[in-house]
Amino acid sequence: MRPSGRNLSDMRPISIETGVMRHAEGSCLISCGDTKVLCSATIEDKAPPFLKGSGQGWVTAEYGMLPRATNSRNRREAAAGKQSGRTQEIQRLIGRALRAGVDRRALGERQIVIDCDVIQADGGTRCASITGGWVALRLAVNKLMKAGIVTTDPIMDHVAAVSCGIYAGQPLLDLDYAEDSEAGTDGNFIMTGAGRLIEIQMSAEGATFSRPEMNQLLDLAEGGIAALVAAQKAAI
């Protein structure tokens, strides 16, 4: 039995509330169980300098965690004067994942910045950030298209992410913190709505894993992604 009482293939309850920030071009609050992330999209009228004259746009992301998002206070990174390596790695992952679902030429020479702020953490914050970040991105692009600024939809497909792992010898879908912190194998699966793989992060956290076990986790992830995409569609 999982600590949460869920079955091996059960997701945590998912909710996505849109329009939660007045000034952002797109925003949502995504909840995956007790993990809650505020996601917003900001449209900037010019692309980064390295894309000047290319006719292509850019999607990037920033990620942060509020001091009391966890059970003990984390010092603000701004107070330390630099971002942690973990923060940098996660926000690069979010940006890579979301760009994989965008036709950057159709977007034109502009940038969309996705901000993901974790207000409560219980495992899977990077996955929730990608899933919610896509919703914020979709809403921002909808505004561009409604205004006639972009005429061809640059979003090619949904993008969502879910964690899977091996806990107490069993493959599990959508790990919460109690499971993630004790998992022998931990993985994050990022996929499109059509089931195409964008990125897989897997590592042995205390026990190696076999090819059949990896296949089991991928099967679980596919089911989880389908549930997340359904929640994205309902939200928008």
Side-chain angles (χ1 to χ4, degrees):
M1 180 65 70
R2 303 175 68 167
S4 63
R6 289 181 284 150
N7 292 325
L8 302 181
S9 59
D10 283 352
M11 294 282 288
R12 291 174 289 179
I14 307 161
S15 70
I16 304 175
E17 180 185 357
T18 60
V20 295
M21 298 182 72
R22 177 180 177 183
H23 300 293
E25 282 77 30
S27 67
C28 75
L29 175 63
I30 181 168
S31 299
C32 298
D34 285 333
T35 289
K36 301 179 186 297
V37 184
L38 183 62
C39 303
S40 64
T42 300
I43 300 169
E44 298 180 346
D45 290 332
K46 60 181 180 180
F50 67 88
L51 287 174
K52 186 175 181 180
S54 69
Q56 298 183 68
W58 192 247
V59 176
T60 188
E62 293 189 11
Y63 168 95
M65 187 175 292
L66 295 185
R68 281 315 306 265
T70 56
N71 59 6
S72 61
R73 186 182 188 276
N74 292 306
R75 188 184 182 198
R76 294 183 190 273
E77 292 185 340
K82 63 178 182 178
Q83 289 181 316
S84 69
R86 176 183 181 274
T87 294
Q88 294 181 52
E89 184 266 327
I90 291 175
Q91 61 190 25
R92 288 170 183 159
L93 171 68
I94 298 167
R96 284 198 307 274
L98 296 178
R99 285 194 297 274
V102 172
D103 179 344
R104 296 194 291 117
R105 191 163 294 278
L107 182 60
E109 283 195 38
R110 57 183 50 84
Q111 177 170 258
I112 301 180
V113 181
I114 307 299
D115 285 293
C116 302
D117 291 286
V118 180
I119 61 176
Q120 185 167 279
D122 187 38
T125 61
R126 70 186 67 193
C127 292
S129 296
I130 291 168
T131 304
W134 184 90
V135 172
L137 175 64
R138 173 75 271 179
L139 294 172
V141 168
N142 286 351
K143 287 195 174 183
L144 286 172
M145 295 185 68
K146 186 176 181 179
I149 298 170
V150 171
T151 55
T152 300
D153 190 355
I155 295 186
M156 299 181 292
D157 201 352
H158 289 252
V159 173
V162 71
S163 65
C164 296
I166 298 175
Y167 171 85
Q170 295 291 320
L172 308 181
L173 175 64
D174 190 22
L175 279 64
D176 56 30
Y177 178 76
E179 295 161 342
D180 183 42
S181 61
E182 298 292 335
T185 299
D186 183 23
N188 298 301
F189 296 78
I190 308 167
M191 302 172 69
T192 68
R196 302 282 294 178
L197 291 167
I198 295 173
E199 188 161 337
I200 297 174
Q201 299 179 323
M202 282 194 68
S203 60
E205 301 287 347
T208 58
F209 56 95
S210 67
R211 175 66 177 269
E213 286 173 327
M214 181 175 178
N215 292 340
Q216 285 181 297
L217 295 179
L218 181 56
D219 289 342
L220 287 171
E222 287 179 338
I225 294 293
L228 291 166
V229 168
Q232 288 176 330
K233 290 179 177 179
I236 59 175

